[in-house]
Amino acid sequence: MPLPAHIGVRDVLPAIAPEKELEGLHPRHSAGLLASNVREDDAVLPLVGEAVLLALAASDIPVEGSTIVLLTETPLMASNPVANVVARVAAPALLPLSAPFSLVPVDHPQARELARTADVLVVSLEHPQVVTADWVRPGATVIDFNPMLVGTTTRDDGTVVPVLRGGVDTDDVARVAGAIMPVPGGIGPVMLGLLMRNAARAATRTAAVPV
């Protein structure tokens, strides 16, 4: 990802052998595990959802009994079937039943008020720094991902590096949030670590299969 414009994700995912698919998005294998609530020890679960849950656990932020809101954008959901699957299917399936989950488009008339009900606010937007402190309940946990390139900066040694931002105005939100996982440096590294783990598991499973 991103794939060439003439290749659709919906066509590619079913063509991948389930044992080689590393992001937990296979329409038959991964979807079946989620629907059946079966959890194999080495099952490949949807990467984004698992990364969020692991990051929360590592920070001792409870999920049980928490209200979780995913704030996103309608065009992003419409154009990206992977984001659609994660938001509509994977995220609710991975959460405990005691954690109410809401998917809120940022252009919803009550989007700000709905975001403020969240104990855990997950932000996946196409436009940078939309979410400010008045979108966040004091003490809430805010998770930002979907990094966007907003420019470049030049280091002292002359190296030009990209400047990335997420949908959260980190400095402003940090004034009220209990915890914040920003862009860059928040969920992204956790996802990369899980991707490498899944690759190692896939290689191990493949090696154990008789030819």
Side-chain angles (χ1 to χ4, degrees):
M1 298 286 283
L3 295 170
H6 67 288
I7 300 177
V9 174
R10 290 183 181 89
D11 299 321
V12 169
L13 282 175
I16 300 173
E19 63 271 15
K20 293 183 178 180
E21 197 276 310
L22 304 181
E23 297 187 65
L25 297 171
H26 197 281
R28 293 190 300 272
H29 184 69
S30 299
L33 287 175
L34 289 172
S36 64
N37 204 29
V38 173
R39 293 292 183 267
E40 299 173 359
D41 289 341
D42 61 348
V44 178
L45 299 174
L47 199 67
V48 175
E50 189 179 7
V52 168
L53 291 178
L54 284 176
L56 291 172
S59 301
D60 293 323
I61 297 170
V63 174
E64 292 278 355
S66 295
T67 297
I68 299 175
V69 173
L70 171 55
L71 186 68
T72 188
E73 295 193 52
T74 302
L76 178 65
M77 297 286 289
S79 64
N80 189 332
V82 172
N84 202 328
V85 168
V86 170
R88 294 183 182 275
V89 179
L94 289 173
L95 293 171
L97 292 176
S98 66
F101 174 84
S102 299
L103 176 64
V104 177
V106 73
D107 58 355
H108 188 283
Q110 280 83 46
R112 194 186 309 256
E113 290 77 9
L114 292 169
R116 283 180 60 86
T117 67
D119 298 305
V120 178
L121 177 62
V122 183
V123 178
S124 177
L125 300 179
E126 286 188 311
H127 297 86
Q129 299 181 300
V130 172
V131 175
T132 50
D134 57 334
W135 288 69
V136 178
R137 185 182 61 77
T141 298
V142 179
I143 300 175
D144 192 11
F145 62 91
N146 197 33
M148 292 159 271
L149 179 65
V150 298
T152 60
T153 186
T154 304
R155 294 174 175 166
D156 293 340
D157 62 2
T159 304
V160 177
V161 295
V163 176
L164 301 175
R165 294 288 184 270
V168 174
D169 184 335
T170 302
D171 292 339
D172 193 46
V173 168
R175 297 188 297 108
V176 297
I180 184 166
M181 300 177 192
V183 165
I187 293 297
V190 184
M191 291 175 61
L192 289 175
L194 288 175
L195 190 64
M196 295 303 100
R197 182 206 65 187
N198 290 349
R201 285 180 173 177
T204 302
R205 284 196 301 268
T206 302
V209 174
V211 177

PDB file of all heavy atoms in Angstrom, residues 10 25 34 46 70 72-95 101-105:
ATOM      1  N   ARG A  10      -9.626  -4.763  -2.883  1.00  0.00           N
ATOM      2  CA  ARG A  10     -10.640  -5.816  -2.805  1.00  0.00           C
ATOM      3  C   ARG A  10     -10.268  -7.018  -3.677  1.00  0.00           C
ATOM      4  O   ARG A  10     -10.658  -8.150  -3.399  1.00  0.00           O
ATOM      5  CB  ARG A  10     -11.999  -5.274  -3.245  1.00  0.00           C
ATOM      6  CG  ARG A  10     -12.616  -4.280  -2.283  1.00  0.00           C
ATOM      7  CD  ARG A  10     -13.996  -3.852  -2.755  1.00  0.00           C
ATOM      8  NE  ARG A  10     -14.610  -2.887  -1.863  1.00  0.00           N
ATOM      9  CZ  ARG A  10     -14.461  -1.574  -1.973  1.00  0.00           C
ATOM     10  NH1 ARG A  10     -13.710  -1.076  -2.935  1.00  0.00           N
ATOM     11  NH2 ARG A  10     -15.056  -0.756  -1.126  1.00  0.00           N
ATOM     12  N   LEU A  25      -6.245  -8.971   7.517  1.00  0.00           N
ATOM     13  CA  LEU A  25      -7.357  -8.438   6.733  1.00  0.00           C
ATOM     14  C   LEU A  25      -7.867  -9.420   5.689  1.00  0.00           C
ATOM     15  O   LEU A  25      -8.658  -9.039   4.821  1.00  0.00           O
ATOM     16  CB  LEU A  25      -6.916  -7.137   6.036  1.00  0.00           C
ATOM     17  CG  LEU A  25      -6.545  -5.983   6.974  1.00  0.00           C
ATOM     18  CD1 LEU A  25      -5.930  -4.845   6.186  1.00  0.00           C
ATOM     19  CD2 LEU A  25      -7.767  -5.499   7.742  1.00  0.00           C
ATOM     20  N   LEU A  34     -12.691 -13.469  13.382  1.00  0.00           N
ATOM     21  CA  LEU A  34     -13.374 -12.405  14.099  1.00  0.00           C
ATOM     22  C   LEU A  34     -14.845 -12.732  14.301  1.00  0.00           C
ATOM     23  O   LEU A  34     -15.408 -12.539  15.378  1.00  0.00           O
ATOM     24  CB  LEU A  34     -13.234 -11.080  13.335  1.00  0.00           C
ATOM     25  CG  LEU A  34     -11.849 -10.454  13.327  1.00  0.00           C
ATOM     26  CD1 LEU A  34     -11.814  -9.259  12.387  1.00  0.00           C
ATOM     27  CD2 LEU A  34     -11.424 -10.026  14.722  1.00  0.00           C
ATOM     28  N   PRO A  46      -6.373  -8.193  12.911  1.00  0.00           N
ATOM     29  CA  PRO A  46      -6.194  -6.898  12.246  1.00  0.00           C
ATOM     30  C   PRO A  46      -5.164  -6.035  12.957  1.00  0.00           C
ATOM     31  O   PRO A  46      -5.266  -5.775  14.161  1.00  0.00           O
ATOM     32  CB  PRO A  46      -7.597  -6.292  12.306  1.00  0.00           C
ATOM     33  CG  PRO A  46      -8.497  -7.483  12.274  1.00  0.00           C
ATOM     34  CD  PRO A  46      -7.794  -8.523  13.104  1.00  0.00           C
ATOM     35  N   LEU A  70     -14.134   6.187  17.563  1.00  0.00           N
ATOM     36  CA  LEU A  70     -13.230   6.327  16.430  1.00  0.00           C
ATOM     37  C   LEU A  70     -13.744   7.465  15.573  1.00  0.00           C
ATOM     38  O   LEU A  70     -14.839   7.398  15.005  1.00  0.00           O
ATOM     39  CB  LEU A  70     -13.170   5.036  15.617  1.00  0.00           C
ATOM     40  CG  LEU A  70     -12.420   5.097  14.279  1.00  0.00           C
ATOM     41  CD1 LEU A  70     -11.002   5.602  14.452  1.00  0.00           C
ATOM     42  CD2 LEU A  70     -12.426   3.742  13.602  1.00  0.00           C
ATOM     43  N   THR A  72     -13.371   9.603  12.277  1.00  0.00           N
ATOM     44  CA  THR A  72     -12.773   9.431  10.961  1.00  0.00           C
ATOM     45  C   THR A  72     -13.473  10.328   9.955  1.00  0.00           C
ATOM     46  O   THR A  72     -14.315  11.160  10.325  1.00  0.00           O
ATOM     47  CB  THR A  72     -12.801   7.956  10.538  1.00  0.00           C
ATOM     48  OG1 THR A  72     -12.044   7.785   9.333  1.00  0.00           O
ATOM     49  CG2 THR A  72     -14.216   7.479  10.317  1.00  0.00           C
ATOM     50  N   GLU A  73     -13.124  10.168   8.675  1.00  0.00           N
ATOM     51  CA  GLU A  73     -13.709  10.983   7.619  1.00  0.00           C
ATOM     52  C   GLU A  73     -14.397  10.089   6.598  1.00  0.00           C
ATOM     53  O   GLU A  73     -13.875   9.029   6.225  1.00  0.00           O
ATOM     54  CB  GLU A  73     -12.638  11.835   6.933  1.00  0.00           C
ATOM     55  CG  GLU A  73     -12.018  12.854   7.870  1.00  0.00           C
ATOM     56  CD  GLU A  73     -11.195  13.902   7.141  1.00  0.00           C
ATOM     57  OE1 GLU A  73     -11.721  14.514   6.198  1.00  0.00           O
ATOM     58  OE2 GLU A  73     -10.038  14.110   7.526  1.00  0.00           O
ATOM     59  N   THR A  74     -15.560  10.518   6.146  1.00  0.00           N
ATOM     60  CA  THR A  74     -16.336   9.730   5.187  1.00  0.00           C
ATOM     61  C   THR A  74     -15.548   9.443   3.906  1.00  0.00           C
ATOM     62  O   THR A  74     -15.543   8.297   3.437  1.00  0.00           O
ATOM     63  CB  THR A  74     -17.660  10.435   4.873  1.00  0.00           C
ATOM     64  OG1 THR A  74     -18.389  10.634   6.096  1.00  0.00           O
ATOM     65  CG2 THR A  74     -18.497   9.630   3.903  1.00  0.00           C
ATOM     66  N   PRO A  75     -14.861  10.423   3.293  1.00  0.00           N
ATOM     67  CA  PRO A  75     -14.097  10.113   2.069  1.00  0.00           C
ATOM     68  C   PRO A  75     -13.007   9.073   2.301  1.00  0.00           C
ATOM     69  O   PRO A  75     -12.739   8.236   1.429  1.00  0.00           O
ATOM     70  CB  PRO A  75     -13.493  11.466   1.666  1.00  0.00           C
ATOM     71  CG  PRO A  75     -14.394  12.476   2.282  1.00  0.00           C
ATOM     72  CD  PRO A  75     -14.836  11.871   3.575  1.00  0.00           C
ATOM     73  N   LEU A  76     -12.372   9.103   3.474  1.00  0.00           N
ATOM     74  CA  LEU A  76     -11.341   8.112   3.788  1.00  0.00           C
ATOM     75  C   LEU A  76     -11.932   6.716   3.832  1.00  0.00           C
ATOM     76  O   LEU A  76     -11.364   5.762   3.294  1.00  0.00           O
ATOM     77  CB  LEU A  76     -10.678   8.460   5.124  1.00  0.00           C
ATOM     78  CG  LEU A  76      -9.600   7.493   5.628  1.00  0.00           C
ATOM     79  CD1 LEU A  76      -8.408   7.487   4.688  1.00  0.00           C
ATOM     80  CD2 LEU A  76      -9.155   7.885   7.031  1.00  0.00           C
ATOM     81  N   MET A  77     -13.097   6.585   4.451  1.00  0.00           N
ATOM     82  CA  MET A  77     -13.751   5.284   4.539  1.00  0.00           C
ATOM     83  C   MET A  77     -14.197   4.802   3.159  1.00  0.00           C
ATOM     84  O   MET A  77     -14.115   3.629   2.836  1.00  0.00           O
ATOM     85  CB  MET A  77     -14.966   5.382   5.462  1.00  0.00           C
ATOM     86  CG  MET A  77     -14.622   5.746   6.891  1.00  0.00           C
ATOM     87  SD  MET A  77     -13.873   4.378   7.769  1.00  0.00           S
ATOM     88  CE  MET A  77     -15.276   3.312   7.942  1.00  0.00           C
ATOM     89  N   ALA A  78     -14.674   5.737   2.340  1.00  0.00           N
ATOM     90  CA  ALA A  78     -15.185   5.367   1.022  1.00  0.00           C
ATOM     91  C   ALA A  78     -14.064   4.961   0.070  1.00  0.00           C
ATOM     92  O   ALA A  78     -14.227   4.062  -0.756  1.00  0.00           O
ATOM     93  CB  ALA A  78     -15.970   6.533   0.424  1.00  0.00           C
ATOM     94  N   SER A  79     -12.904   5.610   0.191  1.00  0.00           N
ATOM     95  CA  SER A  79     -11.816   5.368  -0.761  1.00  0.00           C
ATOM     96  C   SER A  79     -10.854   4.281  -0.316  1.00  0.00           C
ATOM     97  O   SER A  79     -10.084   3.768  -1.115  1.00  0.00           O
ATOM     98  CB  SER A  79     -11.025   6.667  -0.989  1.00  0.00           C
ATOM     99  OG  SER A  79     -10.382   7.081   0.215  1.00  0.00           O
ATOM    100  N   ASN A  80     -10.885   3.925   0.963  1.00  0.00           N
ATOM    101  CA  ASN A  80      -9.918   2.975   1.498  1.00  0.00           C
ATOM    102  C   ASN A  80     -10.651   1.794   2.131  1.00  0.00           C
ATOM    103  O   ASN A  80     -11.081   1.864   3.292  1.00  0.00           O
ATOM    104  CB  ASN A  80      -9.020   3.661   2.535  1.00  0.00           C
ATOM    105  CG  ASN A  80      -7.861   2.788   2.963  1.00  0.00           C
ATOM    106  OD1 ASN A  80      -7.954   1.564   2.937  1.00  0.00           O
ATOM    107  ND2 ASN A  80      -6.783   3.409   3.368  1.00  0.00           N
ATOM    108  N   PRO A  81     -10.815   0.697   1.388  1.00  0.00           N
ATOM    109  CA  PRO A  81     -11.546  -0.445   1.947  1.00  0.00           C
ATOM    110  C   PRO A  81     -10.874  -1.047   3.162  1.00  0.00           C
ATOM    111  O   PRO A  81     -11.534  -1.641   4.013  1.00  0.00           O
ATOM    112  CB  PRO A  81     -11.593  -1.436   0.783  1.00  0.00           C
ATOM    113  CG  PRO A  81     -10.506  -1.023  -0.147  1.00  0.00           C
ATOM    114  CD  PRO A  81     -10.377   0.452   0.008  1.00  0.00           C
ATOM    115  N   VAL A  82      -9.547  -0.906   3.283  1.00  0.00           N
ATOM    116  CA  VAL A  82      -8.849  -1.419   4.458  1.00  0.00           C
ATOM    117  C   VAL A  82      -9.278  -0.637   5.701  1.00  0.00           C
ATOM    118  O   VAL A  82      -9.611  -1.212   6.748  1.00  0.00           O
ATOM    119  CB  VAL A  82      -7.328  -1.345   4.273  1.00  0.00           C
ATOM    120  CG1 VAL A  82      -6.615  -1.691   5.567  1.00  0.00           C
ATOM    121  CG2 VAL A  82      -6.883  -2.281   3.158  1.00  0.00           C
ATOM    122  N   ALA A  83      -9.299   0.690   5.589  1.00  0.00           N
ATOM    123  CA  ALA A  83      -9.766   1.513   6.710  1.00  0.00           C
ATOM    124  C   ALA A  83     -11.210   1.186   7.053  1.00  0.00           C
ATOM    125  O   ALA A  83     -11.589   1.132   8.227  1.00  0.00           O
ATOM    126  CB  ALA A  83      -9.634   2.991   6.353  1.00  0.00           C
ATOM    127  N   ASN A  84     -12.000   0.926   6.033  1.00  0.00           N
ATOM    128  CA  ASN A  84     -13.412   0.599   6.244  1.00  0.00           C
ATOM    129  C   ASN A  84     -13.563  -0.697   7.031  1.00  0.00           C
ATOM    130  O   ASN A  84     -14.336  -0.775   7.992  1.00  0.00           O
ATOM    131  CB  ASN A  84     -14.101   0.482   4.881  1.00  0.00           C
ATOM    132  CG  ASN A  84     -15.602   0.671   4.975  1.00  0.00           C
ATOM    133  OD1 ASN A  84     -16.209   0.324   5.973  1.00  0.00           O
ATOM    134  ND2 ASN A  84     -16.195   1.235   3.935  1.00  0.00           N
ATOM    135  N   VAL A  85     -12.801  -1.723   6.633  1.00  0.00           N
ATOM    136  CA  VAL A  85     -12.866  -3.014   7.315  1.00  0.00           C
ATOM    137  C   VAL A  85     -12.420  -2.887   8.766  1.00  0.00           C
ATOM    138  O   VAL A  85     -13.064  -3.407   9.687  1.00  0.00           O
ATOM    139  CB  VAL A  85     -12.007  -4.060   6.579  1.00  0.00           C
ATOM    140  CG1 VAL A  85     -11.830  -5.319   7.437  1.00  0.00           C
ATOM    141  CG2 VAL A  85     -12.648  -4.438   5.249  1.00  0.00           C
ATOM    142  N   VAL A  86     -11.322  -2.189   8.985  1.00  0.00           N
ATOM    143  CA  VAL A  86     -10.801  -2.036  10.353  1.00  0.00           C
ATOM    144  C   VAL A  86     -11.808  -1.305  11.224  1.00  0.00           C
ATOM    145  O   VAL A  86     -12.092  -1.706  12.359  1.00  0.00           O
ATOM    146  CB  VAL A  86      -9.450  -1.304  10.339  1.00  0.00           C
ATOM    147  CG1 VAL A  86      -9.036  -0.935  11.759  1.00  0.00           C
ATOM    148  CG2 VAL A  86      -8.379  -2.170   9.696  1.00  0.00           C
ATOM    149  N   ALA A  87     -12.376  -0.226  10.697  1.00  0.00           N
ATOM    150  CA  ALA A  87     -13.268   0.602  11.505  1.00  0.00           C
ATOM    151  C   ALA A  87     -14.603  -0.069  11.781  1.00  0.00           C
ATOM    152  O   ALA A  87     -15.122  -0.015  12.897  1.00  0.00           O
ATOM    153  CB  ALA A  87     -13.493   1.941  10.810  1.00  0.00           C
ATOM    154  N   ARG A  88     -15.171  -0.720  10.774  1.00  0.00           N
ATOM    155  CA  ARG A  88     -16.526  -1.247  10.903  1.00  0.00           C
ATOM    156  C   ARG A  88     -16.582  -2.674  11.451  1.00  0.00           C
ATOM    157  O   ARG A  88     -17.559  -3.067  12.076  1.00  0.00           O
ATOM    158  CB  ARG A  88     -17.241  -1.198   9.544  1.00  0.00           C
ATOM    159  CG  ARG A  88     -17.485   0.206   9.038  1.00  0.00           C
ATOM    160  CD  ARG A  88     -18.267   0.181   7.732  1.00  0.00           C
ATOM    161  NE  ARG A  88     -18.471   1.511   7.213  1.00  0.00           N
ATOM    162  CZ  ARG A  88     -19.471   2.324   7.584  1.00  0.00           C
ATOM    163  NH1 ARG A  88     -20.335   1.919   8.496  1.00  0.00           N
ATOM    164  NH2 ARG A  88     -19.600   3.518   7.059  1.00  0.00           N
ATOM    165  N   VAL A  89     -15.536  -3.457  11.188  1.00  0.00           N
ATOM    166  CA  VAL A  89     -15.578  -4.874  11.542  1.00  0.00           C
ATOM    167  C   VAL A  89     -14.541  -5.223  12.604  1.00  0.00           C
ATOM    168  O   VAL A  89     -14.861  -5.745  13.675  1.00  0.00           O
ATOM    169  CB  VAL A  89     -15.369  -5.756  10.297  1.00  0.00           C
ATOM    170  CG1 VAL A  89     -15.393  -7.232  10.680  1.00  0.00           C
ATOM    171  CG2 VAL A  89     -16.424  -5.448   9.244  1.00  0.00           C
ATOM    172  N   ALA A  90     -13.271  -4.910  12.311  1.00  0.00           N
ATOM    173  CA  ALA A  90     -12.190  -5.377  13.177  1.00  0.00           C
ATOM    174  C   ALA A  90     -12.204  -4.709  14.538  1.00  0.00           C
ATOM    175  O   ALA A  90     -12.065  -5.377  15.566  1.00  0.00           O
ATOM    176  CB  ALA A  90     -10.851  -5.153  12.492  1.00  0.00           C
ATOM    177  N   ALA A  91     -12.367  -3.398  14.565  1.00  0.00           N
ATOM    178  CA  ALA A  91     -12.292  -2.699  15.849  1.00  0.00           C
ATOM    179  C   ALA A  91     -13.362  -3.173  16.825  1.00  0.00           C
ATOM    180  O   ALA A  91     -13.040  -3.554  17.960  1.00  0.00           O
ATOM    181  CB  ALA A  91     -12.378  -1.189  15.620  1.00  0.00           C
ATOM    182  N   PRO A  92     -14.631  -3.203  16.448  1.00  0.00           N
ATOM    183  CA  PRO A  92     -15.631  -3.687  17.409  1.00  0.00           C
ATOM    184  C   PRO A  92     -15.415  -5.140  17.811  1.00  0.00           C
ATOM    185  O   PRO A  92     -15.656  -5.508  18.966  1.00  0.00           O
ATOM    186  CB  PRO A  92     -16.952  -3.520  16.645  1.00  0.00           C
ATOM    187  CG  PRO A  92     -16.676  -2.502  15.595  1.00  0.00           C
ATOM    188  CD  PRO A  92     -15.241  -2.705  15.204  1.00  0.00           C
ATOM    189  N   ALA A  93     -14.961  -5.986  16.874  1.00  0.00           N
ATOM    190  CA  ALA A  93     -14.798  -7.409  17.173  1.00  0.00           C
ATOM    191  C   ALA A  93     -13.674  -7.665  18.165  1.00  0.00           C
ATOM    192  O   ALA A  93     -13.715  -8.641  18.921  1.00  0.00           O
ATOM    193  CB  ALA A  93     -14.538  -8.185  15.889  1.00  0.00           C
ATOM    194  N   LEU A  94     -12.655  -6.804  18.170  1.00  0.00           N
ATOM    195  CA  LEU A  94     -11.520  -7.009  19.065  1.00  0.00           C
ATOM    196  C   LEU A  94     -11.772  -6.478  20.473  1.00  0.00           C
ATOM    197  O   LEU A  94     -11.048  -6.826  21.399  1.00  0.00           O
ATOM    198  CB  LEU A  94     -10.273  -6.320  18.490  1.00  0.00           C
ATOM    199  CG  LEU A  94      -9.658  -6.965  17.249  1.00  0.00           C
ATOM    200  CD1 LEU A  94      -8.550  -6.084  16.683  1.00  0.00           C
ATOM    201  CD2 LEU A  94      -9.122  -8.353  17.553  1.00  0.00           C
ATOM    202  N   LEU A  95     -12.781  -5.638  20.636  1.00  0.00           N
ATOM    203  CA  LEU A  95     -13.022  -5.020  21.931  1.00  0.00           C
ATOM    204  C   LEU A  95     -13.896  -5.892  22.815  1.00  0.00           C
ATOM    205  O   LEU A  95     -14.748  -6.638  22.322  1.00  0.00           O
ATOM    206  CB  LEU A  95     -13.713  -3.664  21.736  1.00  0.00           C
ATOM    207  CG  LEU A  95     -12.874  -2.579  21.063  1.00  0.00           C
ATOM    208  CD1 LEU A  95     -13.759  -1.381  20.728  1.00  0.00           C
ATOM    209  CD2 LEU A  95     -11.726  -2.151  21.958  1.00  0.00           C
ATOM    210  N   PHE A 101     -18.482   1.017  21.595  1.00  0.00           N
ATOM    211  CA  PHE A 101     -17.682   1.540  20.484  1.00  0.00           C
ATOM    212  C   PHE A 101     -18.579   2.322  19.533  1.00  0.00           C
ATOM    213  O   PHE A 101     -19.654   1.858  19.159  1.00  0.00           O
ATOM    214  CB  PHE A 101     -17.006   0.392  19.736  1.00  0.00           C
ATOM    215  CG  PHE A 101     -16.271   0.819  18.489  1.00  0.00           C
ATOM    216  CD1 PHE A 101     -14.984   1.306  18.576  1.00  0.00           C
ATOM    217  CD2 PHE A 101     -16.872   0.731  17.245  1.00  0.00           C
ATOM    218  CE1 PHE A 101     -14.304   1.716  17.428  1.00  0.00           C
ATOM    219  CE2 PHE A 101     -16.204   1.126  16.098  1.00  0.00           C
ATOM    220  CZ  PHE A 101     -14.918   1.620  16.192  1.00  0.00           C
ATOM    221  N   SER A 102     -18.111   3.504  19.134  1.00  0.00           N
ATOM    222  CA  SER A 102     -18.851   4.326  18.175  1.00  0.00           C
ATOM    223  C   SER A 102     -17.921   4.771  17.060  1.00  0.00           C
ATOM    224  O   SER A 102     -16.767   5.148  17.318  1.00  0.00           O
ATOM    225  CB  SER A 102     -19.448   5.566  18.849  1.00  0.00           C
ATOM    226  OG  SER A 102     -20.351   5.216  19.867  1.00  0.00           O
ATOM    227  N   LEU A 103     -18.431   4.726  15.830  1.00  0.00           N
ATOM    228  CA  LEU A 103     -17.724   5.241  14.664  1.00  0.00           C
ATOM    229  C   LEU A 103     -18.375   6.568  14.296  1.00  0.00           C
ATOM    230  O   LEU A 103     -19.560   6.614  13.947  1.00  0.00           O
ATOM    231  CB  LEU A 103     -17.822   4.248  13.506  1.00  0.00           C
ATOM    232  CG  LEU A 103     -17.225   4.672  12.171  1.00  0.00           C
ATOM    233  CD1 LEU A 103     -15.721   4.868  12.288  1.00  0.00           C
ATOM    234  CD2 LEU A 103     -17.548   3.639  11.097  1.00  0.00           C
ATOM    235  N   VAL A 104     -17.609   7.664  14.373  1.00  0.00           N
ATOM    236  CA  VAL A 104     -18.176   9.000  14.190  1.00  0.00           C
ATOM    237  C   VAL A 104     -17.472   9.708  13.038  1.00  0.00           C
ATOM    238  O   VAL A 104     -16.261   9.958  13.109  1.00  0.00           O
ATOM    239  CB  VAL A 104     -18.035   9.840  15.476  1.00  0.00           C
ATOM    240  CG1 VAL A 104     -18.566  11.254  15.254  1.00  0.00           C
ATOM    241  CG2 VAL A 104     -18.763   9.171  16.636  1.00  0.00           C
ATOM    242  N   PRO A 105     -18.188  10.051  11.961  1.00  0.00           N
ATOM    243  CA  PRO A 105     -17.590  10.872  10.907  1.00  0.00           C
ATOM    244  C   PRO A 105     -17.343  12.289  11.425  1.00  0.00           C
ATOM    245  O   PRO A 105     -18.182  12.849  12.142  1.00  0.00           O
ATOM    246  CB  PRO A 105     -18.650  10.869   9.794  1.00  0.00           C
ATOM    247  CG  PRO A 105     -19.593   9.766  10.146  1.00  0.00           C
ATOM    248  CD  PRO A 105     -19.554   9.624  11.637  1.00  0.00           C
TER     249      PRO A 105
END
